């Protein structure tokens, strides 16, 4: 096993600099050493710990304590239903659950010993020796769209390699102050949004609940970076585009060093509206639970709407066809993304067959995402292989590029694209559209012609279905299975 790597070098220095802020509650690096260090000293004998992952200071302290103690942590989404939660608990077998004082836990967790996290507890002590880079750090459960959720075991090297690669791509340092309002049971909000600033020696300000007013307030008060998902940036774009515009928000965003969107594609129109109002481009990155981050637009690179940038340092990325043969680059070459590198998870917990199926014989992870790769290495995700690759009339078409084209139509507020069986074409393209004005919704022919003009005639929708809203999850991803796919 490789030599241990310190997860949070800044903790050794301690000090009064702010590390974590949740609302009005602020914890300095010295306070984090005291609270997380004292909790870590009590966890050494635990096999795994579940963390009731509310957007609170206690969740952050609990996860940091587990990492310091070298005990794998299982973040639990407080909104998880009883059946799914029972599966996660039975599968991961935590020996303890960490929660904030006063949190009411569901009955499924009653059998587990509980330890309340006190964010102000303990004097500064000696931090424990950390385990090696291949030691499990977190077990994060996937969304379970094709069966019960699987626990992706993320080793410590996956966390450190991703965060250090983002430091390189984003020029992220100790002077950066991050603001976000993302959930802390997912890799975006927890690993990037909390552990990322702590690894850099900077600080994070969590809003608790997203609001454009909160974003503007924290950016005006010195925050330098904003992490969000498309739903949040859409609300920002709407606020900036109202009559007269939100000038305070526009001014605050224009002073930010970095605006990052992830977890789903940000529509081109929202890119354009934010850039027009603030002079700042939102950059996107691409990752998933099993791989953490794979690509990003670099801070010193060219931001392009619809792309997720170039592979991060240390990440190998390729596109392959249905036989697994590598593909080249080009605007019409769609292939499945495979990645290899230190950022990858080590296994699905208790699922050796699923783990084996996820990797090729030479160690490439099959992401199931379909993409196009430009000549200059920029990657464009066009959808999931299972739900977003449409085979129509002999063409392989990614739903994502059609969705982006539809979103550029002024009469479309939101859009999703799926395929359904067709006796002549194999599959026909179906557009699910939320009109900007339900009383004057754009006609089918108008939308089909718009897509054909933007992309190609064979990519035009054959059917348009109108909805009041699209089903989305907590991170803003469209739940296409709810559309009957």
């Amino acid at each position: 096993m490789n030599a241990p790597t310190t997860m949070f070098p800044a903790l050794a220095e301690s000090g009064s600099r702010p590390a974590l802020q949740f609302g009005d509650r602020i914890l300095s690096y010295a306070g984090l050493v005291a609270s997380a260090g004292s909790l870590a000293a009590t966890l050494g004998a635990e096999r795994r710990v579940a963390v009731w992952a509310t957007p609170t200071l206690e969740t952050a302290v609990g996860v940091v304590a587990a990492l310091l103690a070298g005990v794998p942590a299982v973040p639990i989404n407080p909104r998880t239903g009883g059946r799914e939660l029972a599966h996660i608990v039975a599968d991961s077998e935590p020996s303890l659950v960490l929660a904030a004082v006063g949190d009411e836990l569901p009955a499924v967790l009653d059998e587990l010993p509980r330890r309340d996290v006190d964010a102000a507890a303990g004097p500064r002590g000696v931090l424990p020796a950390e385990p090696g880079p291949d030691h499990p750090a977190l077990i994060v459960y996937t969304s379970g769209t094709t069966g019960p959720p699987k626990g992706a075991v993320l080793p410590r090297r996956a966390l450190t390699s991703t965060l250090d690669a983002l430091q390189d791509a984003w020029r992220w340092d100790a002077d950066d102050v991050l603001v976000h309002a993302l959930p802390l049971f997912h890799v975006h909000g927890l690993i990037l949004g909390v552990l990322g600033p702590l690894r850099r020696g900077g600080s994070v300000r969590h809003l608790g609940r997203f609001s454009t007013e909160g974003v503007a307030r924290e950016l005006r008060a010195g925050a330098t970076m904003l992490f969000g998902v498309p739903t949040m940036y859409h609300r920002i774009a709407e606020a900036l585009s109202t009559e007269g515009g939100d000038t305070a928000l526009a001014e605050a965003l224009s002073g930010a060093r970095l605006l990052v969107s992830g977890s789903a594609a940000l529509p081109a129109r929202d890119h354009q509206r934010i850039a027009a109002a603030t002079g700042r481009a939102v950059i996107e990155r691409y990752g998933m639970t099993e791989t953490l981050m794979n690509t990003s637009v670099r801070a010193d690179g060219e931001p392009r709407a619809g792309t997720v940038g170039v592979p991060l340092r240390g990440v190998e990325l390729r596109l392959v066809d249905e036989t697994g043969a590598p593909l080249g680059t080009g605007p019409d070459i769609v292939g499945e993304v495979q990645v290899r590198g230190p950022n990858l998870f080590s296994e699905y917990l208790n699922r050796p067959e699923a783990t084996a199926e996820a990797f090729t014989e030479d160690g490439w992870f099959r992401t199931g995402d379909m993409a196009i790769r430009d000549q200059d290495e920029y990657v464009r995700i066009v959808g999931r292989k299972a739900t977003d690759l449409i085979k129509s009339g002999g063409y392989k078409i990614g739903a994502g590029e059609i969705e982006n084209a539809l979103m550029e139509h002024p009469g479309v507020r939101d859009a999703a694209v799926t395929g359904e069986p067709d006796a002549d074409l194999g599959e026909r393209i179906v557009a699910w559209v939320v009109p900007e004005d339900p009383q004057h919704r754009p006609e089918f022919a108008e939308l089909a012609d718009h897509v054909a003009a933007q992309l190609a005639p064979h990519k035009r929708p054959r059917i348009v279905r109108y909805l009041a809203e699209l089903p989305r999850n907590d991170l803003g991803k469209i739940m296409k299975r709810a559309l009957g796919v």
Side-chain angles (χ1 to χ4, degrees):
M1 181 176 288
N2 296 328
T5 301
T6 301
M7 184 73 68
F8 308 112
L11 292 185
E13 303 171 10
S14 191
S16 60
R17 291 183 301 113
L20 302 166
Q21 179 175 340
F22 284 75
D24 295 330
R25 304 174 68 201
I26 301 174
L27 195 62
S28 68
Y29 272 90
L32 182 57
V33 168
S35 57
S38 62
L39 179 57
T42 72
L43 298 179
E46 304 297 338
R47 182 185 181 201
R48 298 185 186 110
V49 295
V51 179
W52 190 245
T54 56
T56 61
L57 199 58
E58 284 76 12
T59 296
V61 169
V63 172
V64 170
L67 290 170
L68 291 176
V71 177
V74 185
I76 301 294
N77 177 0
R79 296 176 63 180
T80 300
R83 179 180 298 179
E84 187 170 302
L85 180 57
H87 163 74
I88 291 172
V89 172
D91 189 57
S92 61
E93 297 183 297
S95 56
L96 183 72
V97 60
L98 302 177
V101 176
D103 278 351
E104 294 187 13
L105 304 185
V108 175
L109 297 173
D110 284 349
E111 298 301 315
L112 288 178
R114 169 176 175 159
R115 189 162 302 160
D116 288 335
V117 178
D118 184 352
R124 173 171 178 161
V126 177
L127 295 177
E130 298 181 37
D134 292 320
H135 191 81
L138 299 172
I139 302 172
V140 181
Y141 278 79
T142 62
S143 57
T145 56
T146 58
K150 298 189 292 289
V153 179
L154 299 171
R156 299 171 75 89
R157 60 162 166 76
L159 276 62
T160 57
S161 66
T162 276
L163 296 176
D164 293 348
L166 291 177
Q167 182 275 331
D168 171 69
W170 295 345
R171 300 295 185 259
W172 194 352
D173 63 26
D175 293 328
D176 279 310
V177 177
L178 171 65
V179 58
H180 78 86
L182 298 161
L184 300 189
F185 54 82
H186 192 265
V187 297
H188 190 175
L190 178 61
I191 298 178
L192 271 63
V194 173
L195 306 185
L198 295 181
R199 182 159 176 82
R200 300 274 71 83
S203 63
V204 58
R205 300 176 187 173
H206 197 285
L207 299 178
R209 185 178 182 86
F210 174 81
S211 70
T212 56
E213 296 80 8
V215 168
R217 180 187 67 246
E218 297 304 334
L219 289 175
R220 288 199 305 269
T224 62
M225 304 166 68
L226 171 66
F227 289 177
V229 295
T231 300
M232 297 175 180
Y233 280 106
H234 176 72
R235 293 176 185 171
I236 288 172
E238 290 283 289
L240 295 172
S241 303
T242 56
E243 186 174 350
D246 187 332
T247 55
L249 178 61
E251 181 180 352
L253 290 166
S254 66
R257 189 181 73 79
L258 207 63
L259 308 175
V260 182
S261 181
S263 298
L266 181 63
R269 186 168 65 181
D270 288 338
H271 272 286
Q272 293 160 2
R273 292 194 292 175
I274 293 171
T278 67
R280 301 304 307 270
V282 179
I283 68 171
E284 296 188 74
R285 85 296 179 284
Y286 160 59
M288 56 195 306
T289 301
E290 293 91 338
T291 69
L292 301 188
M293 295 303 108
N294 299 310
T295 72
S296 179
V297 175
R298 294 181 60 86
D300 56 358
E302 177 189 355
R304 301 180 195 170
T307 76
V308 292
V310 299
L312 293 171
R313 184 182 66 190
V315 177
E316 297 178 77
L317 183 148
R318 69 182 183 183
L319 303 184
V320 300
D321 65 16
E322 292 175 339
T323 70
L327 296 170
T329 59
D332 294 317
I333 300 176
V334 178
E336 181 187 0
V337 178
Q338 294 185 350
V339 293
R340 188 166 64 178
N343 55 310
L344 296 185
F345 77 127
S346 55
E347 63 174 335
Y348 290 119
L349 187 67
N350 304 322
R351 301 284 292 275
E353 292 183 358
T355 302
E357 290 173 2
F359 289 89
T360 66
E361 291 182 357
D362 52 350
W364 293 86
F365 175 70
R366 301 181 173 103
T367 68
D369 290 319
M370 306 303 293
I372 295 167
R373 197 170 187 180
D374 295 341
Q375 297 290 344
D376 55 2
E377 301 301 307
Y378 272 67
V379 175
R380 301 174 184 270
I381 304 297
V382 298
R384 291 290 293 168
K385 184 177 181 179
T387 57
D388 296 320
L389 181 64
I390 303 169
K391 299 176 182 178
S392 182
Y395 294 97
K396 295 178 183 177
I397 303 165
E401 58 179 339
I402 305 174
E403 291 165 353
N404 285 335
L406 287 168
M407 290 293 291
E408 293 179 10
H409 188 286
V412 175
R413 180 162 61 87
D414 207 356
V417 168
T418 62
E420 66 181 29
D422 183 275
D424 179 43
L425 297 170
E427 286 186 291
R428 55 179 171 265
I429 298 169
V430 180
W432 305 76
V433 169
V434 178
E436 191 68 54
D437 180 358
Q439 303 303 317
H440 300 90
R441 65 190 193 187
E443 297 295 331
F444 161 73
E446 180 183 351
L447 293 174
D449 290 345
H450 170 77
V451 171
Q454 294 291 318
L455 301 176
H458 68 271
K459 297 181 180 180
R460 69 186 186 277
R462 305 292 175 148
I463 297 174
V464 174
R465 296 184 177 131
Y466 300 92
L467 298 172
E469 63 179 9
L470 294 177
R472 293 181 179 272
N473 66 15
D474 291 338
L475 295 174
K477 293 183 180 180
I478 298 171
M479 297 185 291
K480 293 194 175 180
R481 295 184 186 279
L483 298 173
V485 177

